[in-house]
Amino acid sequence: MRPDRAVAAGTRIWAAFHLPMAACTGLVSLLLTRCCSGPLPWGLVGTTTTAVYLLGASAQFFCFALRRITKKP
């Protein structure tokens, strides 16, 4: 599949921004499993890591949209 229009280099950089967020969620889940024991981590880890990833992805899209709006022609 090929896009209909050319993709700018800045877009590719922003598209790769999810990798640090995925690493951050892995770190959060590791820390939560080290701190909590018993049945609590089953719900806590899944919910927390999903929230961290979604907040990070939302911040990524917000920054990209803000950059696109403030970019001068």
Side-chain angles (χ1 to χ4, degrees), residues 3-65:
D4 293 337
R5 56 191 165 122
V7 178
T11 303
R12 290 185 294 233
I13 292 170
W14 282 103
F17 188 64
H18 73 92
L19 294 175
M21 288 314 304
C24 184
T25 58
L27 181 63
V28 167
S29 65
L30 177 70
L31 291 173
L32 284 174
T33 55
R34 297 287 183 196
C35 295
C36 303
S37 62
L40 182 65
W42 283 101
L44 183 66
V45 170
T47 304
T48 306
T49 54
T50 301
V52 167
Y53 183 79
L54 290 178
L55 285 172
S58 298
Q60 169 195 355
F61 289 126
F62 177 73
C63 290
F64 184 69

